[in-house]
């Protein structure tokens, strides 16, 4: 099989993962008993997110999101809430940094971090106009965690 065929198969797999999170979002809704609530939007395309987090003793105990937007922003929010649950605040921020690098097309240490479904968003780096869609939920999480750490 050619590299092009393998690349096309990977792109197809990634699209399938993204659409799965879009159609069946994980952690959608508003978290009762949250101690962090962040609203963010992307005015260029109308994506809007309301992120609620329950931070306890330096750990992201729970995370939910609500909002509306394109498949990339909503699936990214779904994936982000999944991966940060149970993580220490510093780990959650480090993951956000890795995600930002991934959106810039930079490599990351996939031995140290298993990003799971989040890796499906790697292809977004090829579409600069869509990067803000993918990073919206992550920026909201960073803001919420940093506010809590202060």
């Amino acid at each position: 099989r050619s590299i092009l065929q393998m690349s096309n198969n990977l792109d197809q797999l990634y699209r399938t993962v993204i659409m799965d999170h879009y159609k069946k979002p994980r952690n959608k809704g508003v978290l009762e008993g949250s101690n962090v609530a962040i609203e963010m939007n992307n005015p260029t395309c109308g994506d809007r997110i309301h992120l609620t987090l329950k931070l306890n003793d330096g750990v992201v105990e729970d995370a939910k999101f609500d909002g509306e937007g394109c498949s990339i922003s909503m699936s990214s929010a779904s994936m982000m809430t999944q991966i940060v649950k149970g993580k220490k605040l510093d780990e959650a921020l480090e993951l956000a940094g890795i995600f930002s690098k991934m959106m810039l097309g930079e490599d990351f240490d996939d031995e140290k971090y298993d990003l799971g479904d989040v890796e499906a968003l790697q292809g977004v780096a090829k579409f600069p106009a869509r990067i803000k869609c993918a990073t919206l939920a992550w920026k909201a999480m960073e803001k919420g965690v940093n506010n809590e750490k202060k």
Side-chain angles (χ1 to χ4, degrees), residues 40-49 67-70 73-74 133 136:
M40 284 186 96
N41 65 15
N42 178 355
T44 50
C45 65
D47 294 337
R48 187 182 56 75
I49 187 168
E68 54 201 25
C70 68
S73 71
M74 295 296 106
C133 306
L136 183 64

Side-chain angles (χ1 to χ4, degrees), residues 23 40 47 54 56 75 81 87 95 98 100 132 140:
K23 290 177 179 162
M40 284 186 96
D47 294 337
K54 186 172 186 187
N56 191 10
S75 60
T81 56
K87 297 281 190 290
L95 285 165
I98 289 166
S100 292
K132 281 184 177 168

